[in-house]
Amino acid sequence: MNYPDKNGKFGPYGGRFVPETIIPALDELAEAYASSKKDAKFHAELSSLLENYAGRPTPLYFAKNLSNKHRAKIYLKREDLLHTGAHKINNCLGQALIAKKMGKRRIIAETGAGQHGVASATVAALLGMECVVYMGTTDMERQAPNVLRMRLLGAEVRPVKTGTMTLKDAINEAIRDWITNIKTTHYLIGSAVGPHPYPVMVRDFQSVIGIETKKQIRKSEGRMPDYVLACVGGGSNSIGMFYPLLNEKSVRLIGVEAGGRGIGTKLHAATLSKGAPGVLHGSYSYLLQDKDGQVINTHSVSAGLDYPGVGPEHSYLKDTKRVKYATVTDDEALTAFGELTRTEGIIPALESSHAIAYIGKIAPKCGKNTVIIVCLSGRGDKDIAIINEKLKIEN
Amino acid sequence: MNFIDYFKKLKERREKALIPYFTALYPSKASFEKLAITAAESGADIIEIGLPFSDPLADGPVIQHSSQTALKNGFTIAKMFRSIAGLRVKTEIPFIIMTYLNPVLRYGANIFFTQCRKNGVNGMIIPDMIPEEDGPIRKEADKAGVAMIYLVAPTTPEKRMRLIASRTTGFIYAVSVTGVTGQRENIPAYLPAMVKKIRMVTDKPVCIGFGISTPEQAKAAVKYADGVIMGSAVVKITNPVVLKKFIKQVKSGIRITGSTQRYS
Ligand SMILES: Cc1ncc(COP(=O)(O)O)c(C=O)c1O
């Protein structure tokens, strides 16, 4: 792929739309990232941490019961088994090593589901850095276990009470902090969003998912899969899974967005399916907005998908039609959550449950030899309170 | 209108520009209009009008609050232009709109700048648009004769200062702090050196903004610059009588002092 270009453009998308104060720091980061990419020592250090600390490679698990149920061959890429419980740690380890190299002792992060906040707090503890995490108060409530985890790890969790009090507003606050403390601080963005070089850097750190998956499926099936599914919030687990597969033309890649109460209602977070290009959080990409360019409030049962923007590379992949973007409602995701839990004994994150739910939509078109891989981006321990409330679980 | 000439005339009168900021249609349409006119009649030289955006990431709590309130009260870009058209009949003071890029893009840069021209908006500040990314906007602004004002930050290296200065068709907006808009205890010690650096790369006017909230701070800040922008401190004032007093007080403190005293 010969994108992004030197300005961080994926076709028309991406770029840098941030206040001038930040631009020199982005240049510095781009430079540090470029030199790290060529640095064997950096790669060795990162690989060692990914393997010994985070637990890579993660299994590509053949889900037999689920396969029997849907009459297809279903594999799960088990990012949920990573240390801290989601794919977010892949990116956090990479960025934290770069921050260290740049001499930044303080990291800030935003978080929705709390998984990125926990992963950031974790690497900060590991590398002896100060860590501040911004989190909307709505999300602090619905993902309370992760708030406690971050605090135990020594991070300061700053509640964000502006706007919708969710991920979007947490990013606003993190950017404001960064503008203020630009000299000492690295902003550890948790998804493939933001100004250049973040989208490409985060994608590269998450690509380990797709690279491993390719090797693993070749080994178990002797061929590439027919379908690959991943949920799309900002788009980091999905781009990490998809990017290494883009050149495998026979593989159908499907990104699953949060359909909330249905994309016919106003209560969803289906940015690529229902949005139009615009600028939010430093890059040009699809955006849920009104006719005056004001960003629209989103809804999803899943805090990690409840975001009106999306990474710019996804916008490009949508326009070029290499990836198909679809939606799954809250209820469908909750059903899939229950299904995976009881058929395979795996409790998925509500985010990942959206990708799982989409199996049901393609299975009728599949034969028993159709190979479907789903990125199980995280585990669902953080969600059990919501699930309990929504599903009124009975024994 | 030509900002370079406008600043030259101010200088001839031994004055520096006072540029208060008002969030459009905040706290209400009538109050906004009354406040803007009051400022114009009390000695302000340019009025900066903030077009509220849902996600104002360069703004501190005061302007965030005023933006959110205006949006909650049903702000639209069309309503803002109607209000500005009404103001334009009452005053000749230059108007500058400050907003983020997305509302302009979504409204359509062509229509937006046409509306600016028709309703008497003279300049535009878009803090999340750097010169490298200004292509489509710049074309329409130039066509409509609306001046583009770019920001220089304390972190901006000299090479970028040159680029920014060369792109500016209004004045250079020197951001006085690494931070968002809002009040500060002190103006930073590096400010004189920063403005001096800007002066070395350009002859265009330089105004200072972000964190300037008291008459004393304004006086100290303009010592080296051609004008001062006051945002959060002004937005907080919603009483025209108080505003009138404040504007007069600030303005009287920022004249060029020296032997020739034109005003008594
Ligand atoms: C488990 C899990 N999956 C997915 C996401 C969505 O983010 P992204 O689209 O960047 O992978 C999150 C975000 O919080 C998450 O925690």
Side-chain angles (χ1 to χ4, degrees):
Chain A
M1 302 295 139
N2 46 4
Y3 65 76
D5 68 11
K6 66 178 188 349
N7 298 317
K9 292 285 170 78
F10 303 83
Y13 302 109
R16 284 180 174 175
F17 297 93
V18 287
E20 172 63 23
T21 311
I22 293 180
I23 298 293
L26 292 173
D27 284 337
E28 183 193 1
L29 179 61
E31 215 163 278
Y33 176 55
S35 80
S36 300
K37 253 169 103 164
K38 289 183 254 159
D39 179 1
K41 234 182 79 198
F42 174 84
H43 284 289
E45 198 177 357
L46 180 57
S47 301
S48 165
L49 284 170
L50 286 173
E51 183 182 333
N52 303 306
Y53 185 71
R56 299 215 74 92
T58 58
L60 183 68
Y61 164 69
F62 176 64
K64 190 162 161 258
N65 300 336
L66 205 60
S67 296
N68 283 340
K69 188 171 167 201
H70 288 291
R71 294 178 212 288
K73 284 184 160 176
I74 299 166
Y75 287 84
L76 305 176
K77 181 60 174 163
R78 299 292 307 273
E79 296 298 294
D80 62 314
L81 291 177
L82 282 174
H83 180 39
T84 69
H87 67 292
K88 301 284 181 187
I89 192 92
N90 301 328
N91 168 49
C92 285
L93 285 168
Q95 282 197 47
L97 290 183
I98 289 176
K100 203 176 86 178
K101 195 164 155 170
M102 292 190 296
K104 312 266 170 159
R105 306 296 311 160
R106 178 176 183 265
I107 60 173
I108 55 172
E110 83 294 340
T111 198
Q115 289 302 128
H116 176 60
V118 167
S120 299
T122 299
V123 298
L126 177 70
L127 299 175
M129 292 165 148
E130 183 190 341
C131 179
V132 173
V133 181
Y134 290 91
M135 190 171 190
T137 47
T138 305
D139 292 340
M140 286 178 74
E141 247 169 66
R142 57 180 166 169
Q143 308 276 241
N146 277 342
V147 176
L148 183 59
R149 288 169 82 200
M150 287 183 263
R151 288 183 172 147
L152 289 174
L153 287 159
E156 180 190 342
V157 181
R158 291 197 185 154
V160 177
K161 298 190 188 98
T162 50
T164 46
M165 296 171 272
T166 55
L167 182 56
K168 166 181 84 88
D169 309 283
I171 298 180
N172 288 341
E173 270 321 303
I175 293 176
R176 290 182 188 118
D177 180 315
W178 203 31
I179 295 175
T180 309
N181 302 296
I182 194 85
K183 298 219 165 90
T184 58
T185 299
H186 173 66
Y187 179 17
L188 208 173
I189 294 185
S191 192
V193 301
H196 179 63
Y198 282 104
V200 61
M201 181 173 67
V202 175
R203 176 252 272 165
D204 289 351
F205 287 138
Q206 292 293 2
S207 287
V208 65
I209 303 173
I211 292 167
E212 284 176 10
T213 300
K214 257 173 107 166
K215 267 193 217 141
Q216 291 165 320
I217 198 69
R218 201 172 271 137
K219 194 160 167 224
S220 49
E221 291 290 333
R223 67 173 179 100
M224 286 298 113
D226 298 297
Y227 290 93
V228 176
L229 313 178
C231 66
V232 182
S236 69
N237 85 88
S238 49
I239 202 70
M241 176 60 107
F242 295 164
Y243 184 71
L245 289 160
L246 289 178
N247 284 329
E248 303 290 343
K249 292 286 187 289
S250 66
V251 182
R252 273 176 268 196
L253 305 170
I254 302 174
V256 184
E257 298 191 290
R261 305 266 168 81
I263 56 172
T265 73
K266 286 181 176 169
L267 299 171
H268 62 78
T271 306
L272 289 157
S273 306
K274 297 288 280 184
V279 168
L280 179 70
H281 297 149
S283 71
Y284 183 64
S285 195
Y286 276 78
L287 178 62
L288 290 168
Q289 53 183 323
D290 70 14
K291 64 178 185 3
D292 263 7
Q294 308 293 345
V295 178
I296 284 175
N297 292 349
T298 52
H299 163 83
S300 170
V301 68
S302 142
L305 305 185
D306 197 355
Y307 180 60
V310 69
E313 190 165 356
H314 286 290
S315 293
Y316 181 70
L317 293 171
K318 173 189 160 78
D319 285 6
T320 57
K321 301 197 162 65
R322 176 62 190 96
V323 178
K324 178 183 158 181
Y325 295 90
T327 63
V328 148
T329 64
D330 286 353
D331 287 346
E332 289 167 332
L334 287 163
T335 305
F337 175 97
E339 179 188 74
L340 189 67
T341 306
R342 303 244 166 143
T343 59
E344 292 287 347
I346 296 172
I347 300 180
L350 275 176
E351 290 76 20
S352 323
S353 300
H354 284 71
I356 302 287
Y358 205 73
I359 298 172
K361 308 232 173 184
I362 53 173
K365 292 184 272 180
C366 296
K368 66 180 194 326
N369 288 320
T370 305
V371 174
I372 303 172
I373 296 177
V374 185
C375 186
L376 192 58
S377 55
R379 69 179 187 218
D381 307 48
K382 68 186 177 61
D383 295 316
I384 50 181
I386 307 177
I387 302 291
N388 191 28
E389 186 195 308
K390 299 272 177 197
L391 296 185
K392 305 268 180 289
I393 305 251
E394 290 159 29
N395 255 319
Chain B
M1 81 149 276
N2 181 323
F3 279 95
I4 313 254
D5 290 346
Y6 191 74
F7 275 89
K8 211 178 276 166
K9 281 196 193 114
L10 277 173
K11 204 167 186 178
E12 281 164 16
R13 300 205 306 263
R14 303 187 70 77
E15 286 182 44
K16 302 223 172 179
L18 171 56
I19 311 173
Y21 170 104
F22 299 93
T23 299
L25 311 190
Y26 172 83
S28 65
K29 176 175 179 288
S31 291
F32 160 69
E33 289 170 1
K34 174 82 181 149
L35 291 164
I37 289 295
T38 302
E41 288 170 351
S42 309
D45 299 290
I46 296 169
I47 301 279
E48 187 179 332
I49 298 167
L51 185 169
F53 177 50
S54 51
D55 297 85
L57 46 80
D59 284 303
V62 173
I63 295 179
Q64 282 177 47
H65 172 79
S66 63
S67 302
Q68 292 245 336
T69 307
L71 288 170
K72 236 180 263 159
N73 293 342
F75 173 91
T76 66
I77 296 175
K79 282 186 196 166
M80 177 196 73
F81 277 125
R82 280 200 293 277
S83 175
I84 291 175
L87 290 173
R88 185 37 90 218
V89 180
K90 297 182 191 149
T91 174
E92 288 187 352
I93 194 168
F95 291 142
I96 292 170
I97 290 180
M98 198 227 84
T99 192
Y100 292 81
L101 183 54
N102 201 53
V104 183
L105 283 181
R106 181 66 167 166
Y107 200 72
N110 178 283
I111 306 172
F112 190 92
F113 283 100
T114 303
Q115 289 291 323
C116 284
R117 180 173 50 75
K118 277 193 184 153
N119 297 303
V121 175
N122 310 96
M124 188 83 202
I125 305 172
I126 305 179
D128 60 345
M129 186 185 77
I130 57 173
E132 289 92 331
E133 297 278 10
D134 72 357
I137 295 293
R138 188 52 193 267
K139 201 178 102 214
E140 298 300 334
D142 288 352
K143 236 172 39 193
V146 174
M148 287 302 302
I149 294 146
Y150 295 83
L151 280 65
V152 166
T155 51
T156 306
E158 192 186 313
K159 196 169 152 227
R160 285 190 62 78
M161 273 186 190
R162 283 182 200 282
L163 169 72
I164 293 165
S166 73
R167 291 296 280 171
T168 293
T169 46
F171 55 83
I172 290 150
Y173 190 134
V175 176
S176 67
V177 291
T178 51
V180 295
T181 59
Q183 284 150 289
R184 304 288 194 287
E185 287 283 309
N186 299 302
I187 59 170
Y190 54 70
L191 195 58
M194 177 183 158
V195 176
K196 214 183 261 170
K197 265 211 271 180
I198 301 174
R199 295 280 198 213
M200 268 155 56
V201 305
T202 183
D203 294 331
K204 290 176 185 168
V206 180
C207 295
I208 293 175
F210 277 46
I212 313 289
S213 49
T214 66
E216 294 73 30
Q217 287 175 340
K219 189 173 176 173
V222 291
K223 226 183 200 164
Y224 314 95
D226 303 299
V228 63
I229 299 133
M230 298 181 88
S232 300
V234 170
V235 170
K236 273 183 155 172
I237 305 174
T238 49
N239 178 336
V241 180
V242 179
L243 181 73
K244 183 175 174 179
K245 212 174 125 201
F246 183 77
I247 296 289
K248 284 195 159 167
Q249 195 188 356
V250 177
K251 180 69 185 181
S252 71
I254 62 171
R255 292 183 194 289
I256 303 173
T257 50
S259 48
T260 43
Q261 205 82 31
R262 278 202 44 185
Y263 296 84
S264 51

